[in-house]
Amino acid sequence: MNTDWCGEAAAVVTLTFDVDAETPILARGRRYAGHASTMSHQAYGPDVGLPRILDLLDDLDVPATFFVPGWVAEHRPGLAGSIVERGHEVAHHSYSHRPPTSMTFREERDDFARTLEVFSGQGIEITGYRAALWEATWRTAGLVAEYGLLYDSSLMGDDRPYRLPTEHGEIVELPVHWSLDDWEQYAYLPEPHVGSVIESPTKVLEMWCAELDGMRHYRSLFNLCAHPFLSGRPGRALALRRFVEYALACGDVRFARCRDVARAAAADPGLARRPHRAPEADPEIYPR
């Protein structure tokens, strides 16, 4: 098993935060802009949760990556820059937070390019991409390569980085998984329905520590996905802090920004290369 990409560490942790703000709700329908309570629930993320998380990262001296939709960066000028100033990475998370699987390829391309224009105008370097809701199409990775980005972080084909071939060249995939997403643990709204279970932060902390132990055993990438409007709330922020403290105390875990892991993975000659193509789905067996 080749693990040059992780160096001497037993596991690498990428703390990633999807700074979605209002976008995932507006993507369900612009009528929700009129729901004051719902919009305030989402605005809590950039307004309260994000500063709390940035302070937490400063206290613990660990780097992170923040996936920011272009709409959020455009409507909150200075937000992306404030993240970079703290030593963290800002990455592409669509413009509108509409999942690629809900769009035509032209719509997906336009949404992708519009985000890059926003960040270019703000002087923010973009190296990686994450699809909204992790709902990439088979064309998405090709867009990432075509626009010169290094990595994607939307797929689930491994628990270590891997090479992903596309028609526009090869990129690095930094895989994700639902078990390492705070949305599955904490997200709740009566309308639109985004989740219906609010778990105890104590349970979430236990689950993430157990997963990290497994990844230390198998020398994997612990790619945590958290959202400031969820994990930025007080009890959950403390659980996140305790997780980071646990990982640091292990002594064999390295924290890194996604772009740094992707660069190490791209330079690793032994990194696995996974095929990227849709399975054959016979319409006589699998009707639409």
Side-chain angles (χ1 to χ4, degrees), residues 89 92 109 112-113 116 124-129 140-152 166-172 259 262-263 266:
E89 174 188 4
H92 189 317
R109 175 186 289 280
F112 194 101
L116 293 175
I124 304 294
E125 178 189 7
I126 298 296
T127 309
Y129 169 82
T140 302
L143 275 178
V144 175
E146 180 183 349
Y147 280 89
L149 275 59
L150 174 63
Y151 72 87
D152 173 69
T166 82
E167 67 273 27
H168 296 288
E170 197 170 72
I171 61 172
V172 171
R259 67 159 57 115
R263 286 169 178 159

Side-chain angles (χ1 to χ4, degrees), residues 31-248:
R31 65 187 180 279
Y32 291 113
H35 291 211
S37 292
T38 301
M39 290 295 102
S40 68
H41 179 266
Q42 298 305 122
Y44 180 98
D47 296 347
V48 180
L50 177 61
R52 181 172 288 152
I53 288 167
L54 288 170
D55 288 345
L56 182 157
L57 297 172
D58 278 352
D59 289 346
L60 298 172
D61 194 25
V62 292
T65 297
F66 292 78
F67 289 88
V68 182
W71 186 95
V72 176
E74 192 171 59
H75 284 76
R76 289 179 169 84
L79 180 146
S82 71
I83 293 170
V84 173
E85 288 171 2
R86 306 282 279 266
H88 306 296
E89 174 188 4
V90 167
H92 189 317
H93 192 37
S94 81
Y95 178 81
S96 61
H97 207 277
R98 292 171 61 205
T101 51
S102 73
M103 295 188 279
T104 66
F105 185 50
R106 176 62 181 269
E107 290 171 333
E108 181 182 3
R109 175 186 289 280
D110 289 348
D111 185 275
F112 194 101
R114 187 173 183 178
T115 306
L116 293 175
E117 291 172 2
V118 170
F119 286 122
S120 176
Q122 296 183 0
I124 304 294
E125 178 189 7
I126 298 296
T127 309
Y129 169 82
R130 173 173 287 168
L133 304 179
W134 296 344
E135 291 187 9
T137 69
W138 292 102
R139 303 178 300 253
T140 302
L143 275 178
V144 175
E146 180 183 349
Y147 280 89
L149 275 59
L150 174 63
Y151 72 87
D152 173 69
S153 185
S154 312
L155 306 179
M156 306 188 191
D158 205 328
D159 48 43
R160 304 183 187 96
Y162 57 95
R163 300 183 191 278
L164 201 62
T166 82
E167 67 273 27
H168 296 288
E170 197 170 72
I171 61 172
V172 171
E173 179 64 33
L174 302 182
V176 292
H177 192 262
W178 302 113
S179 61
L180 299 182
D181 185 351
D182 68 347
W183 192 291
E184 307 311 307
Q185 309 302 320
Y186 298 140
Y188 171 80
L189 279 176
E191 187 186 359
H193 178 75
V194 299
S196 56
V197 177
I198 299 178
E199 295 286 4
S200 162
T202 302
K203 176 183 175 182
V204 176
L205 173 62
E206 179 184 18
M207 179 178 68
W208 288 349
C209 288
E211 192 67 15
L212 178 62
D213 287 342
M215 291 187 164
R216 290 167 60 213
H217 179 80
Y218 289 103
R219 302 198 78 185
S220 301
L221 174 67
F222 188 101
N223 193 3
L224 183 69
C225 176
H227 299 76
F229 78 95
L230 298 173
S231 283
R233 299 199 65 84
R236 300 167 184 178
L238 286 181
L240 178 62
R241 174 184 287 271
R242 289 171 186 139
F243 168 74
V244 175
E245 290 171 340
Y246 174 79
L248 290 170

Side-chain angles (χ1 to χ4, degrees), residues 237-280:
L238 286 181
L240 178 62
R241 174 184 287 271
R242 289 171 186 139
F243 168 74
V244 175
E245 290 171 340
Y246 174 79
L248 290 170
C250 288
D252 57 2
V253 173
R254 178 167 59 88
F255 285 81
R257 299 174 301 181
C258 286
R259 67 159 57 115
D260 299 322
V261 175
R263 286 169 178 159
D268 183 349
L271 196 73
R273 188 174 189 266
R274 305 281 181 217
H276 189 62
R277 58 180 178 272
E280 182 179 342

